[in-house]
């Protein structure tokens, strides 16, 4: 049965493009920009918003699952596509075949990706996820350097970058944010002391990208702000954003 209720959502992809431009201007030209289009671009339409974000100056795209990455590739998106979570070992061949940039933080996933890359005759660029206190996914900060050395011995893999994720970036002056930033800095320093090239370093989500310049490093990852929503009241007035989605309905009756 067709959907008969006279209500709908409209997405202005021009707003997505404008928001990316505004955020890029906020963080500065020397910082790369990842637009996060996971979960169907937060319900806005992944392919359309990916193209709009790239038109606004995004350098890379962020997703959560292999299926999301394959969908973008099949739609003709050629920009770098990052999986912000570690792919299951069974999905390693798809990661290689569709040129996705995976997150790695376990030996099991790394070995699976290495084998898939060797079979395909390819080299897979991956980003190492460091858990600095979000306590969700990632290798512990104090173990990151040793783990990176282990990964360096696996054929077919190349560590393109290192990243972490903040738990409280939207809270101005939060002590836990400062503690996470310090742990991340120490992990990076230890890696570099051991001769490990950390590549593209990134940590800032939408809130941190706007509020904490010291956390921008080489790249920022913006999600909710790309779609015109402020991650917190503290970011209002720092950057002008336009909501991309509006929900509309036909008037059922007008009566005096």
């Amino acid at each position: 049965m067709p959907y008969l209720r006279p209500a709908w959502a409209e997405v202005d992809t021009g707003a997505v493009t404008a928001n990316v431009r505004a955020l890029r201007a906020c963080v500065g030209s020397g910082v790369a920009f990842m637009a996060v289009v996971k979960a169907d671009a937060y319900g806005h339409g992944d392919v359309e918003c990916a193209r709009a974000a790239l038109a606004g100056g995004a350098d890379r795209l962020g997703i959560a699952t292999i299926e999301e990455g394959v969908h973008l590739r099949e739609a003709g998106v050629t920009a770098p596509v990052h999986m912000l979570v570690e792919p299951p070992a069974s999905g390693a061949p798809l990661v290689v075949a569709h040129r996705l940039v995976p997150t790695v933080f376990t030996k099991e996933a790394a070995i699976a990706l290495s084998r898939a890359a060797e079979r395909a005759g390819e080299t897979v660029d991956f980003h190492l996820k460091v858990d600095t206190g979000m306590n969700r996914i990632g290798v512990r900060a104090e173990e990151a350097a040793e783990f990176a050395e282990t990964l360096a011995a696996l054929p077919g893999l190349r560590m393109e970058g290192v990243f972490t994720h903040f738990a409280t970036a939207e809270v101005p002056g939060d002590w836990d944010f400062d503690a996470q930033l310090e742990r991340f800095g120490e992990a990076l320093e230890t890696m570099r002391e051991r001769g490990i090239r950390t590549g593209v370093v990134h940590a800032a989500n939408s809130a941190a990208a706007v509020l904490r310049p010291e956390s921008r490093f080489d790249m920022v990852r913006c999600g909710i702000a790309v779609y015109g929503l402020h991650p917190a009241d503290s970011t209002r007035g720092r950057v002008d954003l336009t909501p991309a989605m509006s929900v509309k309905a036909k008037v059922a009756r007008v009566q005096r």
Side-chain angles (χ1 to χ4, degrees):
M1 177 182 293
Y3 190 72
L4 301 178
R5 183 170 295 180
W8 63 95
E10 293 182 1
V11 176
D12 179 6
T13 55
V16 172
T17 299
N19 292 333
V20 171
R21 286 177 178 155
L23 290 162
R24 285 221 62 134
C26 178
V27 303
S29 59
V31 179
F33 191 97
M34 180 190 295
V36 180
V37 295
K38 65 181 181 180
D40 194 31
Y42 294 56
H44 292 70
D46 58 349
V47 173
E48 297 82 2
C49 287
R51 290 172 176 158
L54 293 168
D59 302 289
R60 304 179 180 219
L61 302 169
I63 56 164
T65 68
I66 294 173
E67 292 84 355
E68 291 173 349
V70 171
H71 188 234
L72 291 176
R73 289 292 188 236
E74 290 181 342
V77 175
T78 59
V81 175
H82 288 244
M83 287 190 65
L84 297 174
V85 296
E86 189 176 72
S90 60
L94 283 172
V95 172
V96 177
H98 292 278
R99 307 179 319 282
L100 306 180
V101 182
T103 287
V104 171
F105 60 89
T106 69
K107 290 181 180 178
E108 293 76 14
I111 291 170
L113 287 165
S114 173
R115 289 173 177 169
E118 277 203 294
R119 283 194 294 267
E122 300 285 350
T123 298
V124 173
D125 290 330
F126 71 90
H127 285 224
L128 175 64
K129 175 65 181 292
V130 179
D131 181 12
T132 57
M134 182 78 177
N135 296 321
R136 188 162 64 186
I137 61 172
V139 62
R140 292 174 61 87
E142 60 270 27
E143 299 169 359
E146 182 178 354
F147 185 68
E149 287 179 330
T150 300
L151 297 183
L154 292 174
L157 296 184
R158 178 169 53 213
M159 192 171 80
E160 186 194 34
V162 180
F163 73 110
T164 193
H165 189 63
F166 296 118
T168 58
E170 72 279 3
V171 183
D174 182 72
W175 67 270
D176 194 48
F177 179 95
D178 293 331
Q180 281 195 254
L181 190 60
E182 183 176 357
R183 291 187 199 109
F184 190 48
E186 290 172 352
L188 293 171
E189 183 178 359
T190 301
M191 280 189 265
R192 289 164 181 162
E193 287 175 349
R194 295 191 182 189
I196 300 168
R197 297 184 63 180
T198 51
V200 181
V201 175
H202 50 114
N205 54 8
S206 291
V210 175
L211 297 173
R212 301 296 294 261
E214 70 275 26
S215 72
R216 293 171 185 162
F217 294 103
D218 302 312
M219 180 168 67
V220 298
R221 307 184 307 268
C222 291
I224 192 169
V226 166
Y227 308 99
L229 300 178
H230 283 273
D233 287 340
S234 51
T235 63
R236 298 183 186 277
R238 302 288 190 97
V239 60
D240 291 327
L241 301 174
T242 303
M245 181 183 289
S246 56
V247 179
K248 300 182 179 181
K250 290 184 177 179
V251 176
R253 180 176 172 81
V254 178
Q255 180 174 320
R256 291 182 182 276

